[in-house]
Amino acid sequence: MPTSSRRRLASPPIVGARPIELRVRGDFVEWLAASGGTLAVTTYNSGKLALFSAPDGTLTASYWSLPRPMGMAVSGNQLAVATRDLLWQMEIAANDAAAEANQLITPRQVDATGRLDAHDLAFDRRGLLFANTRFNCVARPSERASFKRTWQPPFMADAATNTAVDCCHLNGIGVREGRLAMATAFCERSEPAAWRAGDRFASGVLLDVRQNRVAVRGLSMPHSPRWHDGQWWLCDSGRGALATVHLGREIFEPVIELPGMTRGLTFVGDRAVVGLSRIRKRHILDAPPVRERWPRLRSGVAVVDYARGVETGSLEFVRGGREVYDAAFLPGVTAATFPTEAVGA
């Protein structure tokens, strides 16, 4: 396992990166203004962490440059972001020096992991967890190594667990009641790069971590398992769907199908916010099922009234941000700033 160093002094991301060209549909701005918070979106191909808010009914956007930002997690006043070879843990606090009431997002801990291809992040009762895709497991940051393994799928038990080869493309993790509960993967095989096989559009699985078993099969490149409103939800990404899961019957049920590869999911009140991507043709993550259904795909986020299965609004990335990975909500953060100088813990 590679060695690691934990950094407690960090230079923040670069503020003012080239903006994304936006298009708003439906009630997106009205919904965001009423939410009383800020929506965070990562676009890993363009290297941006984007923040959107509408405190006075006018959409505002901030873009921070990060190397390949992926998963995010929010817990209280903490925001965690996975990047190419670092895990950022940031503090959200009142900015007394600001002319207007807003929040300062300050890096407090940065863990150097190396190229683990970290995807989803989540906070449990003990701290930060991440999907360690390169090593086919769920892990924690470690002061002595790149990571500390906490769980791996049962079908990986006989594989060479320290081999840095993505076998099943374990990408999503979900926490329930403070404990790791679910994970998603593209397949249930342990051969190197097995997830790239031709059947990947229907070989995806939802993994029950506590029962250490495959809970649901037949998913299309799934991502983003989330517990909300008394049930599990996920992105059936290759079909462009937001779906609910019925564990007792080992099935999933689409709630809505959207014009993009669905990836990234958060809930705000009675709305689901779903990330959308325009995956390139012939890309390894190209999704023929969703492409065949929609003549034109979108990237950005869709706001869904999940009780009715209806998209009420959206924010489209017309230029930049072609591939969204995650969406997170910062409650009570109506405006945010980021320091431009190096910040110490």
Side-chain angles (χ1 to χ4, degrees):
M1 187 181 299
T3 59
S4 170
S5 61
R6 173 163 290 181
R7 305 180 184 180
R8 294 189 181 276
L9 294 176
S11 296
I14 298 170
V15 181
R18 185 181 180 187
I20 295 170
E21 184 179 335
L22 304 173
R23 179 183 294 136
V24 175
R25 290 185 173 88
D27 69 349
F28 180 84
V29 175
E30 293 81 1
W31 164 81
L32 186 58
S35 74
T38 290
L39 183 65
V41 180
T42 51
T43 66
Y44 69 91
N45 66 313
S46 56
K48 293 181 179 67
L49 168 61
L51 295 184
F52 303 103
S53 57
D56 58 357
T58 301
L59 181 67
T60 64
S62 299
Y63 305 97
W64 303 334
S65 291
L66 285 164
R68 202 171 183 267
M70 298 280 281
M72 293 182 288
V74 177
S75 177
N77 68 339
Q78 298 179 81
L79 169 65
V81 183
T83 62
R84 182 178 56 210
D85 51 11
L86 299 173
L87 297 178
W88 297 76
Q89 295 188 56
M90 309 183 193
E91 181 184 32
I92 307 169
N95 184 10
D96 295 333
E100 300 178 357
N102 67 0
Q103 288 77 27
L104 188 68
I105 300 180
T106 307
R108 289 302 185 189
Q109 180 172 306
V110 184
D111 293 284
T113 60
R115 299 293 182 90
L116 301 182
D117 200 18
H119 279 58
D120 268 14
L121 301 183
F123 285 102
D124 70 355
R125 294 172 183 172
R126 295 179 54 194
L128 186 63
L129 294 165
F130 67 96
N132 185 340
T133 305
R134 188 179 181 188
F135 282 83
N136 309 284
C137 69
V138 180
R140 295 186 189 278
S142 172
E143 293 185 358
R144 294 181 294 180
S146 290
F147 63 93
K148 179 180 179 181
R149 192 187 312 270
T150 62
W151 179 83
Q152 66 180 21
F155 51 80
M156 291 298 303
D158 296 330
T161 55
N162 285 329
T163 301
V165 179
D166 179 1
C167 300
C168 62
H169 203 67
L170 188 152
N171 59 72
I173 53 176
V175 168
R176 177 184 177 186
E177 297 173 351
R179 294 175 57 199
L180 177 65
M182 293 290 166
T184 51
F186 279 17
C187 68
E188 51 183 308
R189 295 168 55 187
S190 60
E191 301 88 357
W195 67 275
R196 293 173 175 264
D199 65 348
R200 64 184 180 276
F201 306 122
S203 63
V205 292
L206 176 68
L207 301 160
D208 187 327
V209 173
R210 299 181 191 178
Q211 298 294 324
N212 202 36
R213 68 182 185 92
V214 176
V216 176
R217 293 180 170 87
L219 295 162
S220 182
M221 301 190 290
H223 288 82
S224 313
R226 306 287 185 259
W227 176 258
H228 178 73
D229 200 19
Q231 61 185 330
W232 283 102
W233 304 72
L234 54 75
C235 291
D236 192 32
S237 306
R239 298 184 179 99
L242 169 65
T244 56
V245 176
H246 304 278
L247 293 179
R249 291 184 287 161
E250 299 185 354
I251 62 172
F252 62 97
E253 181 178 0
V255 172
I256 187 173
E257 294 182 333
L258 296 162
M261 180 180 181
T262 49
R263 180 176 50 186
L265 174 61
T266 191
F267 290 88
V268 185
D270 60 355
R271 296 291 193 272
V273 182
V274 186
L276 301 177
S277 295
R278 299 193 309 269
I279 301 297
R280 302 182 303 275
K281 289 183 179 180
R282 293 179 294 279
H283 188 277
I284 187 61
L285 293 182
D286 185 25
V290 67
R291 192 180 296 283
E292 291 167 2
R293 180 176 177 83
W294 301 94
R296 178 183 175 274
L297 301 185
R298 301 200 315 251
S299 66
V301 292
V303 178
V304 174
D305 181 339
Y306 60 82
R308 296 187 296 138
V310 175
E311 180 184 6
T312 64
S314 67
L315 184 67
E316 182 180 358
F317 299 164
V318 179
R319 176 174 59 82
R322 184 182 184 91
E323 297 175 16
V324 168
Y325 183 78
D326 207 0
F329 185 70
L330 311 180
V333 179
T334 56
T337 59
F338 205 95
T340 56
E341 72 279 2
V343 178

